[in-house]
Amino acid sequence: MTAQQTWTGRWVADRAGIALTGSDRLPELVGLALRSQNPKRAHLLVSTVLGKHVPQRPAVVHGVGLELGWQVRELLGDEAAARAVVLGYAETATGLGHSVADGLDAPYLHSTRRPVAGVPPLGGFEEEHSHATSHLLLPADPELLTGDGPLVLVDDEFSTGRTVLNTIRELHARHPRDHYVVVALVDLRSTADRRRLADTAAELGVRLDLVATASGAVQLPADVLDRAERLIAEAAPAPAAPPGTPAPLARVDLDWPAGLPDGGRHGFTARDRVRLDAALPRLAAQLADALPATARRVLVLGFEELMYAPLRLAGALADRLGGDRVRYSTTTRSPVLAVDDPGYAIRTRLAFPAHDDPQDEASRERYAYNVAPGSDPARRFDAVVLVVDDIADTPALSEGEGALLGQLRQVTDRVVLAVLPSHRPVRPPSGLPSRLPSPLYGPAFSSYRPDEVAWLLKDLSGVPLEAPTEEREEAVQNGGAHYAESLPVEYQPSPEYQELFHQALRASARRIALAAGTVAETLLRERGPGLVLASLARAGTPVGILIRRWLAHSHGLDAPHYAVSIVRGRGIDLVALRYLAAHHRASDVVFVDGWTGKGAITRELADALAGTGFDPDLAVLADPGRCARTYGTRDDFLIPSACLNSTVSGLVSRTVLRPGLIGPDDFHGAKHYTELAGGDASAAFLDTVADHFAAVRPQAVAAAHRLSTDPDRTPDWAGWAAVERISAEYGIDSVNLVKPGVGETTRVLLRRVPWRVLARRGAGADLDHVRLLAAQRGVEVEEVDGLPYSCVGLIHPRYSRGATGASGRTVVVKES
């Protein structure tokens, strides 16, 4: 402390007779306050660097945890550090523990006082001196705490060490290990407490190390509880400021990466860390846009256990606005006396009703300390950014007497509310069978190598499912059948058409390689090296294989790749989702497709994955519909795999979902057309594109950097709007009959009953195969101006066999 600074423990030390001894750094790290409702302990050590009760620069808060993590790594060595797991304590140390895990680059879990439906506790323990004692452990992956590496336990302070002992005994009884490391900002245990910890280590036969920023002791007079009680009774409450005009309130819907945990309640891995780091600049830009340009002092206020995500957001915002303009702290459950004195750690207090429906304690009052300026105008914040999770975004947050948002609007000039999705681990519904079906692999199913894709499908190769195209179209449009209940007869390309395919492949292979590389590099930057690819069968499967090949070629990664079925109007294969959730972290799974049209499947996927923990952000090579965030290009160009059906997709049919064939515990189905092996171009397509990987890699890396750092990749759904305009102009009642883009138009000509094709005037060789198919089927190709796609295929509206126009009337053919 400098001569100009006042220690924020002086008021308590002088009046209650409490003193700190030990390290010279202690006064820098902690002040003192009086607990107002805890009969067990009179005083509270108030950290100045933790970001809980005292607003602090986010770089300081994160940095002190990083430094402790680096010390632990030095203690353990690289080999043991690579096997370590970090456990933090709720609520005060959740952010500190996460920061230690960052420094150690280790998986992280924190205890919680919030029960989560569907996630049974792995264990629990008691914090004896706290006002709220029960801690739950709720890892999404129960094996997180079962390894044999060191377990690193992080708390803000060690006063007695009893909480640590309770934790070690509980976890050691379940999953013994040889080494525990205890980490804290300050170690203030007595000699007896230190001996107790050593005795416990000897009893269990384990090594137990301790790492702390500073150490010392707290000296308490015998009558400390009586002194504190008198001081609390005598303390004059701060006069309430008269209510004024509430400050403006802005709500920001942060573009939080889907499936990314908001903290360590259910576990947080190194791969999650990579994803968060990549997203932070974009998220900070969204917050900055909501703040007034004149704001010189900004507080980012977290919410109880939700400490780490607000801390990292505050750090990114400070990088954008300037490090000295941003402070960070969080709300708390701890009731503490406020005294507006420079020598007291808690100058002001806002008390408000709990807004997250607490179930674990009787008290429903919560607190935000040192947010209001009190008697010192220099402490006033120009803006407050409140960050909560969606569970806490309830009416109690903004409505009713004393609501937190209402109080914040009285003490600052602008309040920004940012709500994060609370991570909900995927758990299979109760009553489902314990065994799941097994994937299919080539060459028994498909012509792809077995290492390239695992098909989460049921083999229906022996079932007759094909029907003439005209019969299927009539049944589908009349409501007599769903398109996924049967298969079209596979189109057999003519020699002329096959030559067009190979010409198109040679012409576009480099462009496809660049798009695949851009998507792969973007995913790697934003999702980390633990990618699990789930392609939408079947058009997405060649793309998934290309991305997998890129990751292996450019980064030596062996990414798992699955093909799953999604059916418009019926949703995604839920059994396949259960399989993925049982074998991988949901947040690691990336869904892949070839291209977007108007975005129907994009919406279907988002709806199907809502609340599952899977990320609905579909990755595609081409996004002409402008409905995806992760894409190789938004140009509408020919991807030659759209030119053919099964013979460019591993000889696998489109997927089938039909009652009687697909039971509740089956994957969706498909057929393997072994009889078409003579015309199979699947391997040729992949190999031709992959031959360009090395040449386009610098361009792909640069494109992925531009995409990842783009602050606004939000889809604008321009394709959907264009389809609605075309539907109205051509008198088509259903947008499902309008198929925009080269790929979708090709599908119309191959599988459906086409009515006409709209081609953008001047479109070149990309449409040669479309013109050939249209000519073979007698379909008009109409050139139009201002088309946002290269072409659009129109399915015959209100089709019946013999119909010739939008009216549905049939032509009477005169007999000769």
Side-chain angles (χ1 to χ4, degrees):
M1 304 294 291
T2 66
Q4 289 75 30
Q5 291 175 311
T6 301
W7 177 43
T8 58
R10 178 60 56 199
W11 192 94
V12 173
D14 290 346
R15 289 165 176 77
I18 299 174
L20 295 183
T21 61
S23 170
D24 292 339
R25 291 199 63 189
L26 278 178
E28 300 175 23
L29 299 174
V30 295
L32 291 172
L34 296 177
R35 300 174 184 266
S36 59
Q37 296 177 19
N38 193 325
K40 300 178 183 179
R41 298 182 72 183
H43 68 285
L44 176 72
L45 292 172
V46 180
S47 173
T48 61
V49 297
L50 189 64
K52 173 54 73 172
H53 304 88
V54 178
Q56 178 59 272
R57 294 196 307 275
V60 172
V61 179
H62 194 216
V64 73
L66 290 174
E67 290 178 5
L68 286 168
W70 297 333
Q71 292 181 51
V72 174
R73 173 170 286 279
E74 184 176 358
L75 170 72
L76 296 177
D78 290 342
E79 189 278 329
R83 296 183 291 114
V85 176
V86 179
L87 175 64
Y89 288 93
E91 67 177 53
T92 306
T94 58
L96 176 65
H98 210 142
S99 300
V100 171
D102 285 351
L104 189 56
D105 195 22
Y108 177 63
L109 176 75
H110 69 69
S111 65
T112 180
R113 295 191 177 105
R114 177 195 285 178
V116 177
V119 185
L122 182 67
F125 49 88
E126 296 296 311
E127 186 177 2
E128 296 175 8
H129 65 263
S130 174
H131 67 286
T133 60
S134 296
H135 288 248
L136 302 172
L137 297 178
L138 304 176
D141 180 3
E143 295 185 1
L144 182 64
L145 295 176
T146 63
D148 59 357
L151 180 63
V152 181
L153 303 104
V154 183
D155 209 349
D156 58 318
E157 65 174 82
F158 294 145
S159 298
T160 66
R162 289 192 180 96
T163 302
V164 170
L165 287 179
N166 290 338
T167 310
I168 292 176
R169 288 186 182 279
E170 167 75 21
L171 295 179
H172 197 78
R174 293 172 175 266
H175 302 290
R177 63 183 72 222
D178 298 329
H179 194 181
Y180 295 87
V181 181
V182 179
V183 179
L185 287 174
V186 293
D187 175 15
L188 301 173
R189 293 169 300 145
S190 67
T191 301
D193 291 328
R194 295 171 187 270
R195 187 181 306 115
R196 184 183 303 109
L197 201 64
D199 290 345
T200 300
E203 173 193 339
L204 298 177
V206 301
R207 175 183 170 185
L208 200 159
D209 291 306
L210 190 141
V211 176
T213 302
S215 60
V218 182
Q219 296 179 345
L220 304 174
D223 61 345
V224 64
L225 293 177
D226 293 335
R227 292 192 188 195
E229 186 176 350
R230 287 195 300 271
L231 289 170
I232 292 171
E234 294 169 359
T245 302
L249 171 64
R251 184 184 182 99
V252 175
D253 293 323
L254 287 179
D255 188 18
W256 187 259
L260 177 66
D262 55 312
R265 180 179 288 113
H266 304 297
F268 198 94
T269 68
R271 293 188 291 273
D272 297 325
R273 192 170 293 122
V274 170
R275 291 189 66 202
L276 178 60
D277 288 344
L280 282 172
R282 180 178 74 252
L283 299 172
Q286 291 179 274
L287 291 178
D289 289 344
L291 294 171
T294 55
R296 306 306 303 171
R297 275 176 51 83
V298 178
L299 174 68
V300 176
L301 184 63
F303 159 63
E304 297 184 25
E305 293 175 11
L306 185 65
M307 294 187 69
Y308 180 75
L311 169 62
R312 299 302 309 280
L313 288 170
L317 186 62
D319 291 341
R320 188 176 183 88
L321 301 181
D324 202 47
R325 292 174 61 182
V326 179
R327 295 293 186 272
Y328 157 81
S329 65
T330 73
T331 66
T332 177
R333 300 175 174 217
S334 301
V336 186
L337 176 71
V339 177
D340 195 359
D341 185 285
Y344 190 83
I346 303 297
R347 299 282 297 272
T348 63
R349 169 175 120 157
L350 300 179
F352 55 91
H355 50 91
D356 61 337
D357 191 23
Q359 303 174 27
D360 59 322
E361 60 176 308
S363 173
R364 298 181 64 89
E365 193 169 62
R366 301 291 186 262
Y367 311 93
Y369 295 117
N370 295 319
V371 175
S375 60
D376 185 357
R379 294 163 53 88
R380 192 176 194 276
F381 292 104
D382 302 317
V384 175
V385 178
L386 175 63
V387 183
V388 301
D389 62 13
D390 53 15
I391 291 177
D393 183 24
T394 64
L397 180 64
S398 57
E399 301 173 7
E401 184 178 355
L404 176 58
L405 281 176
Q407 293 198 64
L408 291 177
R409 295 175 69 184
Q410 292 292 333
V411 299
T412 188
D413 298 328
R414 172 74 63 88
V415 176
V416 176
L417 174 63
V419 181
L420 305 183
S422 181
H423 184 56
R424 296 166 174 83
V426 174
R427 284 287 186 267
S430 60
L432 292 176
S434 58
R435 299 191 64 178
L436 290 164
S438 298
L440 302 172
Y441 298 91
F445 186 88
S446 90
S447 60
Y448 292 132
R449 298 197 313 261
D451 63 304
E452 293 200 304
V453 60
W455 298 87
L456 301 186
L457 295 173
K458 180 179 181 178
D459 190 354
L460 300 178
S461 298
V463 181
L465 291 166
E466 290 78 11
T469 299
E470 290 77 9
E471 291 182 12
R472 293 183 71 252
E473 191 66 45
E474 185 174 32
V476 169
Q477 291 201 32
N478 290 337
H482 190 276
Y483 79 91
E485 294 178 0
S486 63
L487 292 172
V489 177
E490 281 283 311
Y491 170 73
Q492 299 302 302
S494 65
E496 182 184 10
Y497 188 84
Q498 287 181 335
E499 178 55 30
L500 271 181
F501 164 78
H502 289 289
Q503 289 177 8
L505 178 58
R506 289 190 294 270
S508 60
R510 182 185 177 94
R511 191 174 185 181
I512 298 167
L514 176 58
T518 300
V519 172
E521 294 291 335
T522 302
L523 292 173
L524 192 60
R525 288 170 63 94
E526 297 185 348
R527 303 288 292 270
L531 292 169
V532 177
L533 304 172
S535 60
L536 302 185
R538 68 184 166 182
T541 302
V543 177
I545 295 176
L546 286 174
I547 293 173
R548 185 183 184 279
R549 286 191 180 189
W550 180 283
L551 294 171
H553 172 271
S554 299
H555 300 280
L557 297 176
D558 184 17
H561 174 214
Y562 301 90
V564 302
S565 170
I566 187 169
V567 175
R568 181 173 50 79
R570 302 285 178 87
I572 200 164
D573 185 341
L574 295 180
V575 179
L577 278 192
R578 284 173 41 216
Y579 184 94
L580 292 173
H583 292 81
H584 303 281
R585 284 169 45 90
S587 58
D588 291 335
V589 177
V590 179
F591 291 90
V592 175
D593 207 356
W595 58 85
T596 64
K598 56 182 172 287
I601 289 298
T602 308
R603 291 185 173 184
E604 190 87 40
L605 183 67
D607 291 343
L609 298 181
T612 66
F614 288 97
D615 188 339
D617 183 10
L618 184 64
V620 294
L621 290 192
D623 179 37
R626 302 184 65 87
C627 54
R629 288 190 66 257
T630 303
Y631 50 85
T633 178
R634 277 182 164 160
D635 294 338
D636 183 19
F637 78 102
L638 173 62
I639 300 173
S641 59
C643 294
L644 301 173
N645 283 328
S646 65
T647 51
V648 78
S649 302
L651 300 181
V652 174
S653 74
R654 190 187 46 70
T655 59
V656 174
L657 180 58
R658 178 166 154 181
L661 293 177
I662 307 300
D665 303 320
D666 292 330
F667 295 137
H668 292 187
K671 299 183 71 168
H672 177 202
Y673 292 120
T674 56
E675 66 273 19
L676 301 180
D680 189 13
S682 303
F685 171 73
L686 296 172
D687 294 342
T688 303
V689 174
D691 285 344
H692 293 273
F693 281 174
V696 302
R697 186 166 186 245
Q699 292 173 266
V701 171
H705 173 73
R706 289 193 299 272
L707 190 63
S708 296
T709 55
D710 184 350
D712 185 16
R713 288 156 55 191
T714 305
D716 60 17
W717 298 88
W720 192 279
V723 166
E724 290 181 330
R725 290 196 302 271
I726 292 169
S727 298
E729 181 178 351
Y730 285 85
I732 299 174
D733 294 336
S734 172
V735 293
N736 292 331
L737 301 181
V738 180
K739 302 294 185 181
V742 180
E744 294 302 304
T745 301
T746 303
R747 286 178 167 184
V748 170
L749 292 167
L750 290 176
R751 301 186 196 168
R752 305 294 292 271
V753 176
W755 181 33
R756 68 178 72 184
V757 171
L758 310 181
R760 185 167 56 206
R761 194 177 305 280
D766 275 353
L767 299 190
D768 283 351
H769 76 291
V770 170
R771 296 186 182 96
L772 177 61
L773 281 175
Q776 290 176 346
R777 299 204 62 180
V779 175
E780 176 189 357
V781 178
E782 177 185 341
E783 290 199 346
V784 297
D785 294 314
L787 197 65
Y789 298 90
S790 294
C791 60
V792 175
L794 305 183
I795 297 172
H796 201 300
R798 294 183 292 277
Y799 176 77
S800 63
R801 277 169 281 184
T804 59
S807 66
R809 291 175 299 192
T810 56
V811 173
V812 178
V813 180
K814 295 182 180 180
E815 296 181 1
S816 58

